[in-house]
Amino acid sequence: MQSNQSTELLFELSHAGRRCHRLPACDVPVGDAKTLLPAEELSDAPPLPEVAESDLIRHFVNLSKRNMSIDTNFYPLGSCTMKYNPKRHERLAALPGMANIHPLQTDASSQGMLYMLWEMQNILAEIAGLDAVSLQPAAGAQGELTALLVAAAYFRDRKEPRKRVLIPDSAHGTNPASASIAGFEAVAIKSDARGLVDMDDLKAKLDDNTAAFMITNPNTLGLFDHQIADITKLVHAQGALVYLDGANMNAILGVTRPGDFGVDMMHYNVHKTFTGPHGAGGPGSGPIAVRTHLAPFLPAPQVAKHGDQFHLDYDRPKSIGRVRSFFGNVGILLRGYCYIRTLGPAGLREVTDNAVLNANYLLARLKGAFEVPHGDRCMHEFVASAWGLKREKQISAMDIAKRLLDFGYHAPTVYFPLVVREAMMIEPTETESKETLDAFADTMMKIRDEDADFLHHAPHTLSISRPDEIKAAKEPILRWTP
Amino acid sequence: MPAFYRYPLPNGRGSDFLDVASPRRGFSLSYILNTHADQEAMLHTIGARSVEDLFKNIPDGLRLKRPLRVPPALTEIELQQHIGELCKRNQSADDAVCFLGGGSYDHFIPAVVDVVAARSEYYTAYTPYQAEASQGSLQAFFEYQTLIAQLTGMEVANASLYEGGSAVAESVLMALAIHPDRSRVLVAESVHPEYRRTLGTYLANLPVQIVTLSTPEGFLDPDELRKSVNDNTLCVIVQHPNFFGALEEVEAIGKLCHEKGGLFVVSFDPISLGLLKRPGQYGADIAVAEGQCLGNPMVYGGPYLGIMACRQEFVRKMPGRLVGQTVDRNGKRCWVLTLQTREQHIRREKATSNICTNQGLFALRAAAYLAALGPNGLRETAELCLRKAHYLSGLLKVIPGISLRFDRPFFKEFTVQVPGDVSAWLERLLKAGYHAGLELGRWYPSLHDCITIAVTEKRTRQELDGLASAFHAEIKGM
């Protein structure tokens, strides 16, 4: 079905005199703006578009049809945990008793909200195997920054100014970026041939100037680094902290806990593991969990309980401060709470079992046709490589990614992690069926045998194909102009 | 123990959950499609004997040997009852009339905004890495960038940051990337105290000094700034209208800042731009804002929307996603994520910011909101806020014992001084049905007797008269 009204911009639809939202007449006997404010403060209204309600709805509804999404397509975007987003969460988060609560209203008038948040603090501490939680960070990257600021404050408090943070070369780019803002020098640690932390390189670079070692475990290759106990021992022997990037928590819920394998601090991605949703690029929510000795440095406020009453505790003299205004991304935390409450302990474990089963099944189906450089088992995701195909037939990971779109599949994450050439990072999640995984594997196999030139021009059936990204960056057009 | 608790509360962290959980163990509610037969077939293909086999890389000594101590599973009916009971323990803006502001406001949200954001083609997608599969989000974000540029009079806007406080901090990181040789950050005390705290936290380990400029008269006196601004000034940060509700002397401040070569950073109220001069008209270099007011619910502080706009010349130092227009291989107009070499996934430790996931869905909501209002709707909304706030301030200031704290022009918020204990005032006013205002003493000890009151276009004359009567009754009862 075609719509001819999906590609004009709002500004091109604008028609002077049209209106969607109308305001009531002013019901107070006060003069207008000119009588209330000095003339030099005032301006004419900004030149926004003028559209009617039906224009607006048709525009955004038609635009929405030009997206792939979890609700319409298999979306195996590695590292992003694109699992199904339960609809009950949307209904519950929109209840006025949750949605219409002002962040600065009194504790006494927010007891239901504070109860939920207090529960989330406890639940996330338990799943982490750690002692204290801050729900404040707005996304995973902000969680990383917050935890590293906590680490800096901890060492400052101990009068041990440590300046380096060690980060495996397979890590998300946010890790080194967060380390820089927190005032640390980011030092890369090599991966070994198995895709795990190169222990010799770690030993060579670890010293008493190291504040923290940041590890993603399972890592971005989908491998659980079984050396983790040795790693944490080594890091602790130097008095440094172990940080876990929790992007891959979907692989270990109830199986093992970061605190149990020696981690001192970590962040969650609630929009991933606890099915946020992802919102076309956020909002996320990135709570952090830490051990007791780091708890005094967490951002303020924390939810505290006194008798059966909850309150916001701002009395935290050693706190780093805050990384944003107000409490946190409460709307996402509430959805995460609903998810955990729906699953319970057994359900959370089932999530991980099936996420890992689905990933291993897809790996088993694909490994004959594509190289998987780091072994034939994985956790919740794996990284295949198109390097062989590229050399043999000039078919790249990008070609495969683009061609998958023709078949109605979102592409895997490509060209990440950087340690694998022509990487395709595939994370099916637990909310997909065997039939979907089989059909996807069949399609991958089919694409592999297609003509290279045909693939270079894929996708062939979508409304656009292969946008010119170089032109976009060289001559940036970042807004519409008349 | 109130009846709404559906399961025993733990004594301390996480205890006692397990027994309650056990009745439901093995009863799958976890959105999983694999049947037992599917699992067997999949394991056979994998060549594994059991699911447990798949975890053998995790050393036994590190394994959790008991179920997680999290609360028991609930069905949808039970969950809805549970959340419903929590809601009853909250007094929402529907239960008591909301005059609270300070960056989060009870503005009206047109139904179209909720309808657009409820399209799951948007909210169940992620960052538009594959442009062909994400033209909907990409075009909507390009429209958002354009709408913010139109709103602010700035040349370019990004596709969102987290919220208003970290947006201020990001603006300083950006200023540092533009002027790495400068280190003094001047910030007016009238900027939101939580934004200033965020700024201090972000910059704690970087080579800059933050100098807070006092605002005893409720605004930054340009003479005060003149004393502090110098050739080492990286940027000057003001909020306009400021945390007390008052307008700042933005043109004079911008001029003083630019005379010393510093960058002028303004945190603005998007709704106020229906009436007030736009940051681009008074010389801002970087304009940031809390975008909650643009069609986003208050939901106890987040998720909200960090707005950032700047001059074109600084765009390569800007944090966050940017959507650009280009053409596809057939010459068709389309949109992509662009200038990504600024970003963490390419630049790693040299990136201008660590931001990755931003607030896409809330940028979409803001775009739908601004399109729904249009220029006239925004102007009328701003004018209603302004007039109703002035009506209320007029009623309050004639009550004996109550006065306006500052003699400054204001937009939709204003600060009153009251006799006696402010928290007791606010508690009693809440009993009378009003979230009456913010207790300024929380952040400004010298303003311990002050309340800042916010008035949106939703407030009716009856509600304004009601609040004034409640104040009056309190004074009489003293």
Side-chain angles (χ1 to χ4, degrees):
Chain A
M1 219 164 322
Q2 204 177 329
S3 167
N4 55 6
Q5 280 175 301
S6 60
T7 55
E8 293 111 318
L9 289 158
L10 273 175
F11 318 99
E12 294 159 347
L13 295 171
S14 179
H15 189 96
R18 291 214 179 112
R19 269 302 266 283
C20 171
H21 184 56
R22 285 178 193 280
L23 280 303
C26 188
D27 61 353
V28 295
V30 172
D32 65 11
K34 285 191 205 83
T35 68
L36 297 173
L37 292 176
E40 66 269 21
E41 302 287 354
L42 300 172
S43 175
D44 53 344
L48 301 171
E50 297 179 65
V51 295
E53 177 161 340
S54 56
D55 288 337
L56 189 158
I57 288 297
R58 191 170 288 169
H59 175 72
F60 282 112
V61 169
N62 277 318
L63 266 192
S64 77
K65 294 181 183 169
R66 305 186 71 211
N67 268 2
M68 283 191 181
S69 66
I70 297 171
D71 279 3
T72 52
N73 305 81
F74 179 43
Y75 208 127
L77 190 67
S79 203
C80 298
T81 313
M82 302 300 288
K83 63 169 78 178
Y84 175 69
N85 305 127
K87 301 309 157 201
R88 65 192 67 172
H89 301 175
E90 300 308 309
R91 175 192 279 182
L92 298 175
L95 291 174
M98 289 287 165
N100 296 352
I101 307 300
H102 192 280
L104 299 174
Q105 70 183 57
T106 60
D107 292 344
S109 63
S110 331
Q111 285 294 298
M113 185 66 87
L114 290 170
Y115 168 82
M116 183 277 291
L117 295 169
W118 184 78
E119 281 284 286
M120 274 302 264
Q121 286 180 182
N122 294 334
I123 289 168
L124 295 180
E126 161 67 8
I127 294 172
L130 291 169
D131 305 305
V133 167
S134 169
L135 300 174
Q136 194 175 89
Q142 204 184 36
E144 291 170 15
L145 174 63
T146 308
L148 289 170
L149 291 167
V150 165
Y154 166 75
F155 286 115
R156 199 159 44 236
D157 189 57
R158 293 168 60 91
K159 309 212 169 8
E160 288 178 48
R162 294 174 177 238
K163 292 311 292 176
R164 283 149 61 102
V165 169
L166 311 187
I167 302 167
D169 55 10
S170 59
H172 299 110
T174 50
N175 290 188
S178 299
S180 289
I181 297 168
F184 293 110
E185 180 198 347
V187 178
I189 302 295
K190 281 186 234 159
S191 303
D192 67 16
R194 299 165 300 171
L196 307 178
V197 172
D198 183 324
M199 294 298 277
D200 291 334
D201 199 39
L202 175 63
K203 283 177 198 159
K205 288 174 180 163
L206 186 65
D207 62 15
D208 63 4
N209 194 23
T210 303
F213 175 60
M214 297 179 87
I215 185 166
T216 309
N217 198 24
N219 67 17
T220 58
L221 295 163
L223 306 173
F224 188 88
D225 198 325
H226 62 274
Q227 314 169 107
I228 187 69
D230 293 334
I231 291 171
T232 57
K233 217 174 287 168
L234 278 174
V235 175
H236 288 150
Q238 289 291 347
L241 302 170
V242 179
Y243 179 87
L244 180 92
D245 179 327
N248 296 338
M249 283 301 286
N250 215 42
I252 58 170
L253 296 171
V255 176
T256 180
R257 304 187 303 170
D260 298 341
F261 57 74
V263 164
D264 301 297
M265 50 205 324
M266 66 167 288
H267 80 260
Y268 285 95
N269 297 88
V270 176
H271 52 295
K272 297 180 182 176
T273 312
F274 305 118
T275 194
H278 286 74
S285 171
I288 61 170
V290 301
R291 286 195 195 281
T292 305
H293 60 285
L294 299 166
F297 307 97
L298 287 176
Q302 296 267 299
V303 182
K305 182 165 172 261
H306 187 75
D308 60 2
Q309 292 293 302
F310 301 93
H311 66 276
L312 291 179
D313 176 15
Y314 286 92
D315 184 18
R316 306 182 56 79
K318 288 190 171 183
S319 167
I320 57 165
R322 55 164 63 245
V323 292
R324 53 164 298 156
S325 57
F326 308 129
F327 186 84
N329 277 1
V330 174
I332 302 302
L333 294 165
L334 172 61
R335 288 170 174 86
Y337 176 73
C338 289
Y339 181 67
I340 293 167
R341 291 305 319 267
T342 301
L343 266 53
L348 287 174
R349 178 59 205 256
E350 270 183 6
V351 162
T352 285
D353 283 351
N354 286 279
V356 171
L357 177 65
N358 279 1
N360 276 284
Y361 179 68
L362 199 50
L363 168 58
R365 287 285 329 264
L366 290 176
K367 71 185 176 194
F370 294 87
E371 292 165 77
V372 182
H374 294 96
D376 55 2
R377 287 289 166 83
C378 64
M379 297 292 287
H380 65 304
E381 67 187 358
F382 61 95
V383 178
S385 168
W387 180 240
L389 272 179
K390 172 113 178 170
R391 275 180 309 181
E392 195 187 318
K393 296 172 62 182
Q394 286 77 53
I395 295 172
S396 68
M398 190 60 83
D399 293 335
I400 295 167
K402 296 297 186 195
R403 182 64 177 143
L404 277 169
L405 307 178
D406 277 330
F407 291 94
Y409 298 110
H410 195 280
T413 297
V414 287
Y415 300 101
F416 184 83
L418 309 175
V419 294
V420 174
R421 284 181 289 203
E422 297 294 323
M424 297 182 286
M425 188 188 208
I426 302 174
E427 181 180 11
T429 83
E430 73 282 3
T431 62
E432 298 297 336
S433 66
K434 178 172 176 294
E435 300 92 290
T436 297
L437 303 181
D438 281 331
F440 177 76
D442 293 345
T443 303
M444 287 286 282
M445 248 82 91
K446 187 175 169 188
I447 292 173
R448 190 189 184 286
D449 295 330
E450 284 185 325
D451 174 62
D453 197 50
F454 182 69
L455 292 180
H456 296 329
H457 294 97
H460 297 280
T461 60
L462 275 69
S463 63
I464 65 152
S465 179
R466 305 273 177 156
D468 187 342
E469 296 193 1
I470 294 167
K471 177 183 162 71
K474 272 196 172 160
E475 311 151 27
I477 302 173
L478 304 173
R479 60 178 290 189
W480 173 85
T481 42
Chain B
M1 186 64 60
F4 81 103
Y5 296 115
R6 301 290 295 213
Y7 57 90
L9 282 170
N11 307 310
R13 180 170 62 75
S15 61
D16 296 342
F17 282 146
L18 198 56
D19 290 345
V20 197
S22 52
R24 287 191 191 280
R25 291 202 56 199
F27 178 46
S28 174
L29 285 162
S30 38
Y31 309 105
I32 286 162
L33 289 81
N34 293 334
T35 62
H36 186 68
D38 291 334
Q39 291 181 338
E40 290 299 312
M42 293 163 84
L43 287 167
H44 180 76
T45 304
I46 295 166
R49 274 165 307 167
S50 64
V51 171
E52 189 56 37
D53 220 26
L54 303 175
F55 291 94
K56 66 183 179 205
N57 268 349
I58 304 182
D60 188 62
L62 306 181
R63 303 287 291 272
L64 184 69
K65 301 289 170 57
R66 57 165 176 79
L68 286 166
R69 291 186 178 124
V70 299
L74 300 176
T75 60
E76 183 171 1
I77 293 176
E78 292 165 313
L79 180 69
Q80 184 153 327
Q81 287 163 345
H82 171 59
I83 300 296
E85 283 159 4
L86 294 183
C87 287
K88 285 185 206 148
R89 307 273 295 175
N90 294 330
Q91 247 178 309
S92 78
D94 295 5
D95 302 318
V97 186
C98 187
F99 290 94
L100 302 171
S104 179
Y105 301 94
D106 184 30
H107 285 292
F108 185 76
I109 302 174
V112 290
V113 175
D114 286 334
V115 168
V116 167
R119 292 290 297 190
S120 64
E121 295 90 335
Y122 294 120
Y123 82 75
T124 76
Y126 203 18
T127 307
Y129 297 116
Q130 290 294 338
E132 291 95 333
S134 316
Q135 283 298 298
S137 303
L138 285 163
Q139 185 176 330
F141 298 156
F142 182 80
E143 292 176 338
Y144 165 82
Q145 290 172 189
T146 305
L147 288 160
I148 295 301
Q150 292 174 336
L151 178 72
T152 57
M154 303 293 288
E155 288 162 329
V156 51
N158 74 6
S160 79
L161 297 172
Y162 302 131
E163 46 74 59
S166 54
V168 170
E170 290 279 3
S171 71
V172 177
L173 296 178
M174 179 176 162
L176 258 177
I178 296 167
H179 290 312
D181 51 330
R182 291 175 173 240
S183 67
R184 266 166 76 87
V185 176
L186 306 186
V187 55
E189 202 178 9
S190 50
V191 171
H192 196 308
E194 295 192 350
Y195 297 4
R196 286 186 287 120
R197 191 93 204 270
T198 301
L199 181 67
T201 306
Y202 260 71
L203 300 183
N205 306 309
L206 298 178
V208 289
Q209 315 99 261
I210 300 174
V211 180
T212 304
L213 305 174
S214 69
T215 55
E217 298 308 317
F219 74 110
L220 177 60
D221 188 331
D223 286 335
E224 176 74 18
L225 174 63
R226 194 172 286 117
K227 282 185 260 168
S228 298
V229 69
N230 63 27
D231 293 340
N232 190 26
T233 298
L234 176 63
C235 59
V236 176
I237 307 170
V238 297
Q239 181 177 329
H240 175 67
N242 66 28
F243 191 68
F244 313 121
L247 304 192
E248 295 282 359
E249 302 213 345
V250 279
E251 304 215 23
I253 291 166
K255 203 158 159 264
L256 284 168
C257 172
H258 287 148
E259 277 170 12
K260 298 291 180 188
L263 295 169
F264 183 30
V265 177
V266 178
S267 173
F268 62 94
D269 172 352
I271 297 293
S272 74
L273 299 182
L275 282 172
L276 299 183
K277 274 195 182 152
R278 302 191 267 286
Q281 291 171 323
Y282 55 75
D285 297 298
I286 304 172
V288 293
E290 175 52 71
Q292 179 271 336
C293 56
L294 301 178
N296 299 307
M298 295 189 287
V299 60
Y300 203 61
Y304 287 174
L305 170 68
I307 293 173
M308 179 182 265
C310 71
R311 293 183 187 281
Q312 180 76 36
E313 64 188 286
F314 301 138
V315 71
R316 284 171 199 274
K317 304 292 183 194
M318 202 180 203
R321 310 283 187 206
L322 283 166
V323 175
Q325 182 177 308
T326 187
V327 293
D328 80 345
R329 69 180 166 86
N330 301 314
K332 197 165 168 189
R333 180 172 74 169
C334 61
W335 290 274
V336 293
L337 289 177
T338 194
L339 302 182
Q340 296 191 71
T341 51
R342 298 164 298 120
E343 292 189 61
Q344 46 76 27
H345 59 285
I346 311 278
R347 293 272 284 170
R348 299 180 77 85
E349 69 274 9
K350 295 189 184 68
T352 50
S353 165
N354 69 336
I355 194 166
C356 180
T357 290
N358 54 18
Q359 305 288 115
L361 192 69
F362 286 59
L364 174 71
R365 291 185 71 101
Y369 179 86
L370 286 169
L373 265 67
N376 298 318
L378 187 69
R379 179 161 204 100
E380 286 166 23
T381 300
E383 185 132 5
L384 284 174
C385 294
L386 175 82
R387 293 171 73 176
K388 287 171 187 251
H390 282 78
Y391 174 71
L392 180 61
S393 78
L395 295 180
L396 294 180
K397 74 184 178 191
V398 297
I399 300 174
I402 296 181
S403 56
L404 290 187
R405 177 65 181 76
F406 302 116
D407 180 25
R408 290 289 299 172
F410 61 90
F411 170 54
K412 70 182 181 194
E413 283 172 289
F414 58 93
T415 299
V416 295
Q417 197 167 14
V418 298
D421 176 25
V422 166
S423 55
W425 265 92
L426 293 174
E427 213 168 288
R428 289 193 302 268
L429 289 167
L430 183 55
K431 284 210 180 90
Y434 303 94
H435 292 290
L438 302 182
E439 183 184 346
L440 271 191
R442 278 180 62 175
W443 303 283
Y444 300 91
S446 64
L447 300 174
H448 61 89
D449 53 357
C450 291
I451 300 173
T452 298
I453 297 170
V455 183
T456 70
E457 77 286 3
K458 275 172 79 174
R459 299 287 73 88
T460 61
R461 182 171 181 176
Q462 194 183 0
E463 290 168 340
L464 304 173
D465 290 340
L467 181 67
S469 301
F471 266 94
H472 211 110
E474 285 301 320
I475 288 278
K476 273 209 228 148
M478 285 181 84

